[in-house]
Amino acid sequence: MITLPPFLRQLPHGTTTPCAGHGDLFVPDHPSPPASVTDEARDLCAACPVRAACADWAISTRQPHGIWGGLTPEERQPPRQRRRPACGTETGWRSHRMLGEDCAICQDAHVERQRAERLVRLEREHREHGGSPTGYRLEVLLGLPTCALCRAARAAYYAGRPRAQRWYRRAA
Ligand code: SF4
Ligand SMILES: [Zn+2]
Ligand SMILES: [Zn+2]
């Protein structure tokens, strides 16, 4: 005995679906029937009173073949999950930020990378300038003790700027 899909019970009494008697169109022998066959089946589904329920049923029961509710097997596949950048990468961190998400893995990795970059820049400031106001700022951001050369370079920098110097004296 054939069990009919439950959505057929929604049909008004005494009526049939447009696909009735068109098995050749809806479940063709060929695994990938020509477009003309598929289109004809679709047209019949478009006028079907239980089209939405039929499509839902075919999707939820993962019907592998045929046209159901006007949809081909491919069209019944769930939309592919949007590819997300891997956690721990900088693109991952940026994508969380854009979506307003919290991710401890990405946040920790980002802070770690930022710290490594700052250390490289500080090393360059020391190598190229001995010390510099930029070096001073990096030392503060890294939570390191400021070095005498960077402190002196910063003081000299602000000494040439009378307005800023006042602020600097107050802050120092
Ligand atoms: S939607 Fe299409 S396949 Fe589903 S019952 Fe109606 S005519 Fe048949
Ligand atoms: Zn993440
Ligand atoms: Zn320094």
Side-chain angles (χ1 to χ4, degrees), residues 7-8 17-19 26 44-45 48 50-51 54 67-70:
F7 65 85
L8 289 178
T17 61
C19 58
F26 285 83
L44 289 171
C45 291
C48 178
V50 291
R51 196 194 58 76
C54 175
I67 304 282
W68 293 96

Side-chain angles (χ1 to χ4, degrees), residues 86-88 92-93 96 103-107:
C87 279
W93 179 79
H96 287 307
C103 173
I105 296 169
C106 286
Q107 184 58 27

Side-chain angles (χ1 to χ4, degrees), residues 122 126 131 135 139 147 150:
L122 176 61
H126 283 155
E139 282 159 353
C147 78
C150 285

